[in-house]
Amino acid sequence: MEDIKRKTISALLSEGAENAGKIVDVKGWVRTRRGNKNVQFVALNDGSTINNLQIVFDLSKFTEEDLKPITTGSSIHVQGELVASQGKGQSVEVQARELEIYGTAPVDYPLQKKGHTLEFLREKAHLRPRTNTFGAVLRIRHALAYAIHKFFNDKGFFYFHTPLITASDCEGAGAQFQVTTLPLENLPVGEDGKIDYSEDFFGKMASLTVSGQLEGELGATALGLIYTFGPTFRAENSNTQRHLSEFWMIEPEMAFYEIADNMDLAEEFIKYCINYALEHCKDDIQFLNDHFDKELIERLKFVVENDFVRLPYTEGVKILEESGRKFEFPVYWGVDLASEHERFLVEEHFKKPVILTDYPKEIKAFYMKLNDDGKTVRAMDVLFPKIGEIIGGSQREENYDKLTKRIEELGLTGMDWYLDTRKYGTVPHSGFGLGFERLVLFVTGMQNIRDVIPFPRYPKNCEY
Ligand code: ATP
Ligand code: MN
């Protein structure tokens, strides 16, 4: 083969006919091969785009024997002339001159035909990135991750790394996975009959983080505007379509932001990300719209173009009580709203995303700022159609005495380092957490959160 620089299929297709007549070099995986005794057509995909490049093999130049290893799933390297295509659906194709087979794929290749169910593909999660659907989802996932960094960077936020292993058991956001090097079959026991953690790796009990927020606050009360974007672990036994045991979370934390600033930022942020995907992932979103969710693009545009409703919890409960609807779980002031309640407000009552604020303090975390009524806190949950809660956030309690009192009420210990932010130069500040996979779920229109991360972890499942 000649020494020609390889181009991605994405580049070749977008440059189109301007390269016609040139010899190009392409590599990829074969989706299909069809044709007759005179000519064979191979649909080649290299992962750079959902679109395939058509390679034409003239059987006066290649023998049937040459082409035999070119099966669905095989990998090949081709050089040939780029020509304008007569076929519909593509601007250019390649007339093959040289062929190198990297690897054929035997007939037991699991992704032979199109249209496998998502359940089937979940069993083949090691190969599913090669399908159109997962290729699209994973490219969109990438674009959203990039958009998130760009959004915050352009606004002057600093990317702040919070620890994944933590000894603080007060995060309170969910059940934690313990991290230990103690021998589980022979645990050291102290005189009180309890496990002696002084012999453990860190000399105390440690676990994987369920949220970087508390450490994020240390960053915000020094650097001003920070965000985290990292893995988060929750050992909740919730087998739902919206929960993973390992997921990625984005947690901005802002000094001098009050709750209204926090809401403005959350709304602007989500809209920015959705817009970015609409602009940069057109083909992938169109594919998902056509194959899985006919209202996807419409829904994304609707969310971007409309103001989110801002509604106090107390009013939300009133709407639910007066709706006349029979819910599975009862509604009353003080209840932690269930997904059916959130979805009623968003999908049926307002038909728009809703930011619910000022929740009863009992159902929210200890660090949220107490309102003057003494009963509610400055929390804000952003509720989305089909997803339910996509963001949870609040203005933080910055008053040292009030926060200390709440920590004591709840019997939390080991919080001195956290309280120091309030003891020394305290400032009003706010922040929120966005579950990255819930955003990807919304933008892709997928139904199940296990289908928007390459290697999902959930109860009784830890493959690869
Ligand atoms: P939920 O009530 O849906 O379990 P939460 O109240 O536990 O959510 P937070 O602790 O506020 O959620 O976490 C912030 C964000 O992280 C949520 O708004 C959601 O987008 C996301 N999130 C929370 N738990 C999970 C999970 N198990 N898997 C994926 N994303 C999650
Ligand atoms: Mn939860």
Side-chain angles (χ1 to χ4, degrees):
M1 291 237 189
E2 276 182 69
D3 190 12
I4 308 171
K5 198 167 167 11
R6 171 195 168 226
K7 280 204 172 183
T8 62
I9 291 174
S10 167
L12 285 173
L13 291 177
S14 63
E15 289 162 14
E18 75 186 51
N19 287 316
K22 285 191 191 148
I23 302 295
V24 296
D25 183 285
V26 290
K27 299 174 178 183
W29 293 271
V30 172
R31 286 290 160 81
T32 56
R33 173 160 70 90
R34 61 186 175 83
N36 54 42
K37 284 207 164 63
N38 303 319
V39 61
Q40 293 271 310
F41 301 98
V42 166
L44 194 69
N45 190 282
D46 68 359
S48 61
T49 159
I50 192 143
N51 301 305
N52 300 326
L53 181 64
Q54 174 154 287
I55 315 288
V56 184
F57 289 92
D58 189 332
L59 288 176
S60 63
K61 294 195 198 106
F62 295 90
T63 66
E64 299 239 13
E65 210 47 35
D66 292 337
L67 303 189
K68 215 164 154 197
I70 306 186
T71 52
T72 293
S74 63
S75 47
I76 61 172
H77 175 192
V78 172
Q79 290 185 348
E81 185 183 342
L82 194 81
V83 297
S85 174
Q86 278 106 56
K88 58 172 164 43
Q90 69 235 351
S91 56
V92 290
E93 62 189 27
V94 172
Q95 297 278 353
R97 289 196 186 171
E98 303 274 353
L99 167 68
E100 178 185 2
I101 310 274
Y102 284 131
T104 189
V107 287
D108 62 356
Y109 178 59
L111 310 176
Q112 287 296 343
K113 58 178 179 63
K114 289 184 182 175
H116 287 298
T117 64
L118 294 170
E119 288 75 19
F120 171 83
L121 293 175
R122 227 171 277 147
E123 315 252 290
K124 307 278 176 216
H126 59 303
L127 292 172
R128 67 180 185 173
R130 290 198 199 177
T131 61
N132 281 334
T133 303
F134 284 89
V137 168
L138 295 175
R139 281 184 296 270
I140 292 170
R141 186 180 164 102
H142 159 79
L144 287 169
Y146 178 75
I148 287 163
H149 284 297
K150 183 163 165 50
F151 175 83
F152 285 118
N153 181 68
D154 291 355
K155 277 196 165 309
F157 281 62
F158 299 106
Y159 183 24
F160 187 71
H161 292 101
T162 52
L164 301 189
I165 300 176
T166 171
S168 133
D169 58 358
C170 300
E171 290 174 346
Q176 297 182 301
F177 288 100
Q178 203 174 330
V179 175
T180 181
T181 54
L182 289 177
L184 294 180
E185 55 294 331
N186 182 23
L187 293 168
V189 177
E191 277 168 13
D192 55 0
K194 291 191 178 148
I195 293 165
D196 180 7
Y197 281 105
S198 68
E199 292 194 26
D200 203 350
F201 189 87
F202 296 108
K204 53 176 153 177
M205 198 169 150
S207 46
L208 295 178
T209 183
V210 293
S211 159
Q213 182 204 312
L214 302 189
E215 294 91 346
E217 287 183 52
L218 303 178
T221 51
L223 299 171
L225 305 173
I226 66 97
Y227 70 105
T228 72
F229 187 172
T232 310
F233 309 88
R234 294 192 185 177
E236 319 168 274
N237 200 1
S238 40
N239 264 300
T240 76
Q241 306 211 332
R242 300 175 305 116
H243 289 88
L244 290 164
S245 313
E246 176 182 300
F247 64 101
W248 289 65
M249 186 142 69
I250 299 99
E251 295 182 278
E253 194 69 37
M254 297 75 66
F256 316 114
Y257 270 47
E258 309 232 354
I259 188 75
D261 309 309
N262 203 19
M263 288 192 262
D264 290 345
L265 183 76
E267 182 167 347
E268 185 189 347
F269 170 53
I270 294 206
K271 287 179 171 174
Y272 178 92
C273 294
I274 296 172
N275 257 328
Y276 187 91
L278 279 169
E279 218 171 284
H280 292 86
C281 308
K282 282 203 175 79
D283 292 350
D284 288 324
I285 292 180
Q286 189 68 52
F287 173 86
L288 295 170
N289 186 88
D290 295 346
H291 290 83
F292 291 100
D293 181 350
K294 299 270 185 278
E295 285 151 22
L296 175 61
I297 294 175
E298 208 180 302
R299 190 180 323 113
L300 296 180
K301 289 194 170 151
F302 182 81
V303 164
V304 165
E305 283 161 11
N306 285 280
D307 290 343
F308 296 2
V309 173
R310 298 178 184 200
L311 184 80
Y313 167 94
T314 302
E315 284 178 38
V317 167
K318 204 178 289 166
I319 291 171
L320 291 165
E321 282 173 338
E322 288 168 4
S323 70
R325 176 67 62 99
K326 274 266 165 293
F327 294 108
E328 191 187 336
F329 298 99
V331 190
Y332 52 90
W333 197 94
V335 76
D336 197 1
L337 297 181
S339 175
E340 55 171 341
H341 307 134
E342 298 175 345
R343 292 186 64 166
F344 176 85
L345 290 173
V346 172
E347 292 168 16
E348 299 188 45
H349 188 81
F350 290 106
K351 299 193 166 62
K352 273 188 199 183
V354 173
I355 310 184
L356 214 54
T357 62
D358 304 296
Y359 284 72
K361 68 175 183 199
E362 285 76 19
I363 57 171
K364 288 290 179 189
F366 73 93
Y367 48 71
M368 297 190 181
K369 185 176 171 70
L370 193 62
N371 279 317
D372 293 340
D373 62 13
K375 292 195 302 190
T376 60
V377 287
R378 280 190 204 173
M380 51 163 239
D381 280 8
V382 181
L383 311 178
F384 256 43
K386 290 190 75 179
I387 309 288
E389 178 186 333
I390 193 164
I391 280 182
S394 70
Q395 182 168 345
R396 319 306 188 189
E397 181 58 75
E398 83 270 21
N399 181 287
Y400 180 84
D401 294 331
K402 286 187 190 165
L403 188 58
T404 306
K405 187 165 158 257
R406 189 79 183 123
I407 286 175
E408 282 168 1
E409 267 169 26
L410 295 171
L412 305 175
T413 52
M415 300 299 288
D416 291 354
W417 59 272
Y418 183 68
L419 283 165
D420 274 357
T421 53
R422 280 56 168 183
K423 190 170 171 189
Y424 307 116
T426 191
V427 292
H429 64 288
S430 301
F432 60 81
L434 167 81
F436 184 50
E437 284 74 19
R438 296 220 181 144
L439 176 66
V440 182
L441 204 52
F442 184 73
V443 173
T444 58
M446 292 280 105
Q447 297 283 344
N448 193 320
I449 199 162
R450 296 170 188 179
D451 295 334
V452 298
I453 186 166
F455 306 103
R457 268 83 182 90
Y458 47 91
K460 301 282 179 283
N461 187 85
C462 193
E463 298 297 317
Y464 325 109

